[in-house]
Amino acid sequence: MAPLRCCLRLLCALALTLGPAAGEVRRLLALEALGEAEELTEELWGAGLPGDLPELEPECRRLLVAFAEHSAELTDCLGRRARPVRLCQACHRYYHRLLAQYGNIARAVGNSSESHNCAKSILTSDRLQIVVTLSEFFNETWETANCANCLKNSSEGLSDSTVEFLDLFNKSLTCFEHNLQGQTSYLSPNNYTEVCRNCNETYRKLNDLYNNLQRMNRQGGESGHSAHLCIDVEDAMNITRKLWSRTFNCSMPCSDTVPVIAVSSFILFLPVVFYLSSFLHSKQKKRILILPKRIQSNASLVNIQEKYS
């Protein structure tokens, strides 16, 4: 190959000196260069050099393909359950499968020797580290959604309180829909009195349960995580409250109405009681002070009369 390269360089120099008249020479040089490239390619393939550089071991390739498949499943689930938000209840199985697969890669499962390290080849062999980046993205999304607060400690399924809340939520939506269908024939679209009256009890139970779940989470509830409620529960309650207050223009009577009225009435009557007691006390005090004064003046008058008689 070395003599051929030297001849090619000489021909190139000669073609440059000849100028435009050497078009045929340049064409011949291109053909010669193409032939040389083909020969070099054949030599490389004959030496057994793989085309996909660097090639993964079969076991490492299997781990990477499995991680890619689980990532695609989780991404599809997150995208489909984005609105209304149902991430935690619909995608928790896909998320934990992805975690398990990433753990298999990180532990280098299937490595037969030090030279075939799947963890190093897949996770840290390049600057981008796409597998690590994907795993961090899914973990951050899951933690931001607080999905752990919807699941049991073992993450095998939804917690009992979450199941109870979602059941009440579905009953509330069913009640709204049923009463809307029953009144549209004879009431104006802005009149939702039937919804407010017939669904008040269901909505009140849902609202009370949501408040209880919030208190439980502040103290560390079933899942053992003291934080916000999971995004599924928060979004469901926000939807219900917007329908109840903005769309239907309903209001829910406060359960503490009687104590509030009693305390307010007591505070309002305090000034009346104060001024009345002050008036009565001052009047009684005047009576007590005036009576001895009159008695004393009469006694002194009698003494003066006896003295001059």
Side-chain angles (χ1 to χ4, degrees):
M1 282 301 169
L4 178 60
R5 291 193 183 95
C6 292
C7 292
L8 287 173
R9 292 193 187 98
L10 290 174
L11 289 173
C12 289
L14 181 60
L16 290 174
T17 57
L18 292 176
E24 185 65 23
V25 176
R26 285 196 297 269
R27 187 180 67 83
L28 292 174
L29 288 175
L31 292 175
E32 291 291 341
L34 179 61
E36 182 183 6
E38 291 178 352
E39 290 179 8
L40 288 173
T41 304
E42 291 176 0
E43 289 181 4
L44 290 174
W45 280 106
L49 189 66
D52 188 12
L53 299 175
E55 184 65 40
L56 287 173
E57 292 296 318
E59 183 63 23
C60 301
R61 173 66 63 183
R62 185 189 64 80
L63 292 173
L64 181 59
V65 170
F67 179 85
E69 291 175 350
H70 293 320
S71 298
E73 291 174 348
L74 180 57
T75 302
D76 180 73
C77 182
L78 293 177
R80 292 178 181 274
R81 302 293 181 170
R83 292 303 310 164
V85 182
R86 299 293 183 269
L87 305 183
C88 304
Q89 53 188 303
C91 305
H92 65 91
R93 292 184 180 88
Y94 299 117
Y95 174 71
H96 288 99
R97 288 176 192 168
L98 182 73
L99 282 185
Q101 187 59 35
Y102 183 83
N104 292 340
I105 296 174
R107 290 191 298 270
V109 174
N111 292 339
S112 57
S113 65
E114 290 292 331
S115 60
H116 300 149
N117 193 326
C118 293
K120 183 177 179 181
S121 300
I122 296 174
L123 302 180
T124 60
S125 60
D126 56 80
R127 179 176 60 85
L128 187 58
Q129 300 181 4
I130 188 64
V131 173
V132 177
T133 302
L134 284 173
S135 178
E136 290 177 351
F137 166 75
F138 288 125
N139 288 333
E140 182 179 356
T141 302
W142 201 255
E143 291 174 2
T144 303
N146 291 305
C147 287
N149 287 322
C150 281
L151 306 175
K152 297 178 180 178
N153 287 329
S154 57
S155 299
E156 294 177 353
L158 297 176
S159 62
D160 295 337
S161 59
T162 304
V163 172
E164 181 182 2
F165 175 86
L166 294 177
D167 180 61
L168 276 175
F169 170 69
N170 291 329
K171 288 181 179 178
S172 298
L173 295 184
T174 303
C175 183
F176 294 162
E177 183 180 4
H178 175 74
N179 285 275
L180 284 174
Q181 291 175 352
Q183 72 173 20
T184 52
S185 59
Y186 59 89
L187 290 178
S188 63
N190 295 327
N191 192 337
Y192 301 107
T193 54
E194 291 292 325
V195 176
C196 299
R197 180 173 62 251
N198 296 333
C199 302
N200 179 72
E201 183 66 19
T202 306
Y203 176 79
R204 184 187 61 80
K205 291 180 180 179
L206 180 69
N207 192 69
D208 291 344
L209 178 59
Y210 181 80
N211 293 332
N212 290 334
L213 290 176
Q214 282 186 319
R215 286 192 291 269
M216 288 173 58
N217 268 308
R218 293 191 190 102
Q219 301 170 358
E222 291 180 63
S223 61
H225 298 267
S226 179
H228 294 287
L229 294 175
C230 73
I231 190 64
D232 292 25
V233 173
E234 288 183 345
D235 186 71
M237 195 67 224
N238 289 337
I239 291 173
T240 311
R241 284 175 173 173
K242 287 179 181 178
L243 288 173
W244 182 259
S245 60
R246 297 182 184 179
T247 304
F248 304 140
N249 198 24
C250 300
S251 60
M252 189 178 64
C254 182
S255 59
D256 299 330
T257 303
V258 175
V260 169
I261 294 176
V263 173
S264 301
S265 302
F266 175 74
I267 294 175
L268 289 174
F269 278 101
L270 273 179
V272 178
V273 175
F274 174 76
Y275 285 114
L276 182 61
S277 61
S278 299
F279 174 75
L280 295 176
H281 181 71
S282 60
K283 188 175 181 180
Q284 184 67 25
K285 187 175 182 181
K286 286 180 180 180
R287 291 178 180 177
I288 295 173
L289 292 176
I290 291 173
L291 183 60
K293 184 177 180 181
R294 291 177 179 176
I295 295 174
Q296 185 178 4
S297 59
N298 292 334
S300 59
L301 180 60
V302 171
N303 292 334
I304 293 173
Q305 289 177 354
E306 289 180 353
K307 183 178 179 180
Y308 288 98
S309 63

